[in-house]
């Protein structure tokens, strides 16, 4: 059996049907998507914590959540997975985790904390090596308000206190070779060598002994610093703290040469690398889960292959089409005209000031001085900009000085409204390429590998925020659920659509939360969508070879799980918030307000 390449790509691998034990060893992947992703993850985990195994074998009384051994995440999903892994290792209850994450996600307090850090000079004296920027302000806020100073080492539990996780992976993207960087950690002892288990990838990685000392706040920041909103987080500088210095981090870092050229050798010698959002290379955190399963199948680790791999995704394959701009009238002032007008104002102000000086009229001096200031600044900026534009010709940009001057000459004669439309079209198309087309194409490629491989046919399942929304109606019509009873009710669709409509942010706007109850809808959506997809998975298992080979005890167990889920799903149809309300009341969440579908405005886009 072939080993994976440096990017983590997997060759075909196979697990016999008889070796699959449904729901006994579960892996969960959580996508990026800001607070929407973290909140959906909370709903998913809370439903896993509800369903229990019946009187079968040794699993009686355990919840599905207790059978989860692996977590993988990217970006916003990492908010939930890092906190759950920490609380699980500390022996805290699911209730404590739920309340903590619920409070973190409420409103915009985390954003406010990060901005307070950014603006406070004294706070940065404690973090002298960290760059003073937005991503590090968030990392400090994460450290103080979520993780209370804990490091990756705090996740290691050695199966004490009933902790069930074996391995976690918090994905980021490294800006050395442009691949996924797996912030991977085993939480229990593993006697096998497992040569492809790395904190990084095959081209760039950090020694495990040192990586364990990295703060969880920095791990989360590296996983969630999405392009446009944040700048890259820099290794080693931004990962230093009182217990971990720059030298130790540099010594622990390995960079494998790719080209051997002079510039690369200089880069490697400096040992400074930028990291950004894990969603850039795999927003579903799916490839890392597939990679981990491959190591298990190849017996490179003592951990068993996964029986169920669930991809929890708040992204989608949908895309908003590019709207073609309306044709403009090719009239209006151009940049040359603006320059001439401002130059005229500048000269006029200069004349007025000179008149006042010559005839000793202070009022004219004042007026002339005021008139000169803004045009003077503008003219200086134009002069500075000209020098910068010409300097581009001296860099390896592909534009010569002649071409640059030619472009400037004609662009300055083009109407400003046309230039504005050109810039808006370029900005919108670049944003669309990066945030939609590229990411969705990567999603499609990884999903195709996952769903089309015979290896994961009876073990892999998707769990998408849009599955039961109005937006998902066409897909369900073309690909009907296994049985008619799984078709969602109108109430479920309203809540799911409201959840799906939530944007990708790191806060819940207070007004939006009050009016649309976004947080509640996303949690509820995570709960009933998980119920729906687990039921769909069970229905398919019952018709597969797996069911006939697992034996009567496990068959009975599977039917017991199904019975619970069917009852829950029927209840979700009439009251999508029943589980959300039950948790809020049982866990005594401060100021919790139970909801019903009557409180939710019908989605405006439907």
């Amino acid at each position: 059996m072939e080993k994976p390449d440096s990017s983590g790509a997997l060759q075909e691998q196979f697990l016999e049907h008889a070796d699959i034990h449904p729901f006994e060893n579960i892996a969960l992947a959580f996508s990026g998507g800001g607070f929407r992703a973290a909140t959906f993850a909370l709903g998913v985990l809370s439903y896993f914590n509800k369903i229990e195994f019946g009187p079968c074998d040794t699993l009686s009384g355990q919840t599905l959540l207790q059978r989860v051994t692996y977590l993988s995440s990217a970006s916003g999903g990492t908010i939930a997975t890092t906190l759950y892994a920490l609380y699980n290792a500390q022996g805290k209850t699911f209730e404590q985790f739920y309340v903590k994450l619920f409070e973190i996600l409420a409103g915009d307090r985390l954003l406010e904390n990060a901005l307070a850090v950014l603006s406070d000079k004294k706070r940065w004296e404690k973090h002298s090596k960290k760059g003073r920027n937005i991503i590090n302000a968030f990392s400090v806020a994460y450290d103080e308000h979520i993780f209370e100073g804990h490091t990756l080492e705090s996740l290691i539990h050695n199966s004490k206190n009933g902790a069930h996780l074996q391995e976690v992976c918090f994905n980021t993207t490294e800006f050395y070779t442009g691949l996924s960087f797996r912030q991977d950690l085993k939480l229990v002892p593993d006697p096998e060598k497992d040569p492809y288990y790395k904190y990084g990838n095959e081209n760039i990685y950090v020694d495990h002994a040192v990586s364990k000392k990295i703060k969880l706040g920095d791990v989360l920041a590296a996983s969630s610093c999405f392009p446009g909103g944040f700048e890259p987080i820099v290794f080693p500088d931004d990962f230093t703290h009182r217990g971990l210095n720059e030298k130790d981090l540099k010594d622990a870092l390995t960079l494998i040469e790719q080209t051997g050229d002079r510039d690369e050798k200089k880069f490697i010698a400096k040992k400074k690398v930028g990291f950004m959002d894990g969603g850039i290379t795999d927003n579903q955190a799916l490839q890392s889960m597939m990679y981990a399963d491959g190591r298990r199948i190849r017996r490179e680790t003592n951990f068993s292959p996964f029986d169920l791999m669930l991809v929890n995704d708040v992204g989608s394959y949908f895309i908003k089409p590019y709207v073609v701009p309306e044709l403009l009238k090719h009239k209006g002032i151009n940049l040359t005209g603006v320059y001439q007008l401002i130059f005229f104002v500048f000269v006029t102000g200069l004349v007025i000031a000179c008149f006042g000086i010559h005839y000793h009229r202070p009022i004219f001096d004042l007026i002339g001085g005021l008139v000169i200031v803004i045009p003077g600044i503008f003219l200086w900026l134009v002069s500075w900009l000209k020098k910068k534009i010409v300097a581009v010709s001296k860099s390896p940009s592909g534009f010569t000085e002649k071409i640059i001057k030619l472009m400037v000459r004609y662009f300055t004669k083009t109407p400003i409204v046309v230039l504005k439309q050109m810039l808006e079209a370029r900005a919108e198309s670049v944003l669309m390429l990066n945030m939609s087309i590229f990411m969705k194409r990567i999603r499609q490629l990884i999903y195709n590998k996952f769903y089309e491989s015979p290896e994961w046919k009876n073990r892999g399942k998707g769990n998408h925020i849009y599955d039961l929304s109005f937006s998902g109606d066409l897909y369900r019509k073309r690909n009907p659920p296994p049985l008619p009873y799984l078709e969602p009710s109108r109430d479920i669709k309203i809540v799911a659509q409201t959840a799906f409509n939530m944007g990708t942010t790191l806060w819940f706007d207070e007004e939006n939360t009050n009016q649309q109850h976004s947080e509640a809808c996303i949690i509820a959506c995570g709960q009933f969508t998980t119920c729906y997809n687990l039921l769909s998975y069970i229905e398919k298992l019952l018709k597969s070879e797996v069911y006939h080979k697992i034996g009567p005890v496990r068959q009975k167990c599977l039917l017991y799980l199904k019975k619970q889920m069917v009852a829950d799903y029927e209840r979700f149809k009439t009251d999508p918030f029943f589980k959300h309300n039950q948790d809020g009341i049982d866990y005594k969440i401060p100021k919790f307000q139970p909801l019903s579908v009557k409180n939710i405005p019908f989605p405006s886009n439907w």
Side-chain angles (χ1 to χ4, degrees):
M1 189 173 296
E2 295 187 47
K3 292 180 172 60
D5 61 24
S6 60
S7 68
L10 299 172
Q11 303 296 325
E12 292 290 345
Q13 299 168 41
F14 298 94
L15 194 67
E16 297 297 330
H17 292 311
D19 294 327
I20 300 175
H21 307 140
F23 294 104
E24 290 193 18
N25 187 15
I26 302 171
L28 301 178
F30 292 98
S31 78
F35 269 23
R36 179 178 61 181
T39 308
F40 188 73
L42 182 58
V44 173
L45 293 171
S46 70
Y47 192 71
F48 266 78
N49 189 57
K50 181 181 188 300
I51 301 301
E52 295 184 354
F53 286 90
C56 58
D57 208 5
T58 59
L59 304 180
S60 180
Q62 291 190 39
T63 64
L64 288 184
L65 187 57
Q66 289 173 290
R67 303 310 305 171
V68 174
T69 61
Y70 178 88
L71 295 177
S72 178
S73 61
S75 198
T78 304
I79 300 172
T81 56
T82 44
L83 183 66
Y84 183 75
L86 176 62
Y87 274 39
N88 183 244
Q90 292 176 332
K92 293 184 178 179
T93 64
F94 182 81
E95 176 182 335
Q96 290 173 298
F97 160 75
Y98 188 100
V99 172
K100 176 69 174 179
L101 186 55
F102 189 96
E103 291 176 347
I104 289 169
L105 297 173
D108 56 6
R109 279 175 287 181
L110 192 58
L111 172 66
E112 186 177 350
N113 291 333
L115 294 177
V117 170
L118 182 65
S119 62
D120 188 352
K121 181 181 177 181
K122 293 182 179 179
R123 302 289 287 277
W124 295 98
E125 293 174 0
K126 301 177 182 178
H127 308 282
S128 59
K129 285 290 182 180
K130 279 181 172 287
R132 186 172 177 177
N133 53 34
I134 297 177
I135 189 57
N136 281 314
F138 266 91
S139 78
V140 172
Y142 293 151
D143 179 56
E144 295 176 355
H145 298 282
I146 299 180
F147 304 116
E148 300 176 346
H150 284 286
T151 64
L152 279 167
E153 197 165 24
S154 302
L155 307 185
I156 298 172
H157 54 74
N158 298 330
S159 299
K160 295 178 181 178
N161 302 317
H164 54 85
L165 295 176
Q166 294 179 334
E167 185 177 352
V168 289
C169 185
F170 312 118
N171 295 275
T172 183
T173 301
E174 45 92 354
F175 279 11
Y176 172 51
T177 61
L179 298 177
S180 180
F181 184 99
R182 295 179 293 278
Q183 298 182 106
D184 206 345
L185 180 67
K186 290 181 180 178
L187 312 183
V188 294
D190 180 11
E192 297 296 330
K193 294 182 179 180
D194 202 357
Y196 294 94
Y197 161 63
K198 293 185 182 297
Y199 192 86
N201 57 45
E202 295 306 303
N203 300 320
I204 168 174
Y205 52 90
V206 180
D207 180 73
H208 282 294
V210 174
S211 68
K212 293 174 184 176
K213 299 177 183 178
I214 294 175
K215 284 201 169 187
L216 290 173
D218 295 330
V219 169
L220 173 54
S223 182
S224 60
C225 51
F226 55 85
F230 298 104
E231 49 281 298
I233 186 169
V234 179
F235 186 98
D237 304 44
D238 296 338
F239 291 81
T240 58
H241 56 86
R242 288 183 179 178
L244 187 58
N245 60 48
E246 182 182 13
K247 182 180 183 303
D248 288 343
L249 284 166
K250 280 190 172 184
D251 290 345
L253 178 65
T254 298
L255 294 165
I256 305 298
E257 285 186 302
Q258 304 298 304
T259 65
D261 64 33
R262 185 184 304 169
D263 289 340
E264 185 184 71
K265 288 182 183 294
K266 288 181 181 179
F267 180 86
I268 291 175
K270 288 182 179 179
K271 284 197 168 184
K272 286 197 175 186
V273 184
F275 293 101
M276 285 208 81
D277 197 299
I280 297 172
T281 45
D282 179 12
N283 196 45
Q284 285 60 49
L286 173 54
Q287 191 174 47
S288 293
M289 183 166 67
M290 294 159 64
Y291 186 79
D293 188 58
R295 288 166 31 225
R296 285 156 172 75
I297 292 175
R298 294 190 300 271
R299 301 295 184 231
E300 292 168 357
T301 170
N302 195 46
F303 301 154
S304 301
F306 304 128
D307 298 308
L308 170 62
M309 301 164 69
L310 189 70
V311 190
N312 303 282
D313 188 4
V314 301
S316 73
Y317 60 89
F318 307 127
I319 187 170
K320 290 185 178 180
Y322 174 72
V323 179
V324 179
E326 295 181 7
L327 291 175
L328 295 172
K329 294 181 180 179
H330 304 297
K331 295 181 180 180
I333 191 168
N334 55 35
L335 291 176
T336 299
V338 171
Y339 181 86
Q340 291 172 345
L341 178 62
I342 291 177
F343 185 77
F344 174 77
V345 173
F346 178 79
V347 172
T348 301
L350 195 61
V351 169
I352 293 172
C354 290
F355 177 84
I357 293 171
H358 182 75
Y359 290 101
H360 305 288
R361 302 286 182 88
I363 186 65
F364 286 95
D365 293 348
L366 179 62
I367 293 172
L370 292 174
V371 171
I372 286 172
V373 173
I374 295 177
I377 294 172
F378 174 81
L379 294 174
W380 177 84
L381 285 173
V382 169
S383 176
W384 175 82
L385 187 59
K386 282 183 177 179
K387 292 178 182 178
K388 288 293 182 181
I389 291 173
V390 172
V392 172
S393 65
K394 298 176 182 178
S395 65
S397 62
F399 293 94
T400 64
E401 185 173 348
K402 178 183 177 182
I403 295 297
I404 290 174
K405 287 183 176 180
L406 186 67
M407 293 171 69
V408 170
R409 186 196 314 165
Y410 285 102
F411 279 147
T412 53
K413 293 179 180 179
T414 304
I416 290 176
V417 290
V418 175
L419 291 176
K420 176 176 176 289
Q421 187 183 77
M422 288 166 57
L423 290 172
E424 288 176 347
R426 277 155 181 76
E428 185 179 347
S429 61
V430 168
L431 187 65
M432 189 172 181
L433 283 171
N434 284 289
M435 302 306 292
S436 294
I437 295 175
F438 291 159
M439 289 184 68
K440 291 180 189 300
R441 177 58 176 159
I442 293 171
R443 179 185 192 266
Q444 180 188 33
L445 291 172
I446 298 176
Y447 265 23
N448 286 348
K449 173 66 179 176
F450 185 57
Y451 291 120
E452 292 177 6
S453 168
E455 161 52 23
W456 291 296
K457 179 180 179 182
N458 293 306
R459 299 191 294 137
K461 186 74 181 76
N463 189 36
H464 313 103
I465 194 171
Y466 58 83
D467 282 341
L468 302 181
S469 67
F470 292 110
S471 296
D473 282 350
L474 290 177
Y475 179 85
R476 288 193 310 277
K477 187 177 291 185
R478 295 168 188 149
N479 305 272
L483 289 173
Y485 80 88
L486 287 169
E487 185 61 30
S489 65
R490 184 175 183 274
D491 286 352
I492 280 181
K493 291 181 185 181
I494 291 172
V495 176
Q497 191 67 50
T498 303
F500 184 43
N501 288 347
M502 167 71 186
T504 302
T505 64
L506 285 174
W507 61 85
F508 280 106
D509 181 75
E510 195 66 35
E511 182 180 355
N512 186 54
T513 302
N514 290 336
Q515 291 184 0
Q516 303 294 331
H517 304 291
S518 300
E519 185 181 13
C521 286
I522 298 171
I523 291 174
C525 183
Q527 293 165 341
F528 59 63
T529 306
T530 301
C531 178
Y532 166 85
N533 281 307
L534 291 182
L535 272 173
S536 298
Y537 174 67
I538 289 175
E539 292 291 3
K540 289 185 178 181
L541 278 183
L542 295 178
K543 300 172 184 177
S544 71
E545 289 184 55
V546 173
Y547 181 71
H548 300 291
K549 294 186 177 181
I550 59 177
V553 174
R554 288 194 173 92
Q555 288 175 351
K556 183 179 178 181
C557 223
L558 197 60
L559 294 173
Y560 186 86
L561 293 173
K562 176 187 172 180
K563 183 179 179 181
Q564 294 175 72
M565 294 178 199
V566 168
D568 286 343
Y569 192 66
E570 290 301 320
R571 191 170 176 186
F572 278 129
K573 283 183 175 181
T574 57
D575 183 7
F577 290 105
F578 93 82
K579 174 64 175 156
H580 169 266
N581 291 339
Q582 187 179 70
D583 289 342
I585 295 169
D586 291 348
Y587 298 160
K588 296 180 174 60
I589 294 176
K591 300 180 181 179
F592 180 81
Q593 294 291 328
L595 292 175
S596 72
V597 177
K598 293 179 181 178
N599 302 120
I600 311 301
F602 191 84
S604 58
N605 57 330
W606 291 90

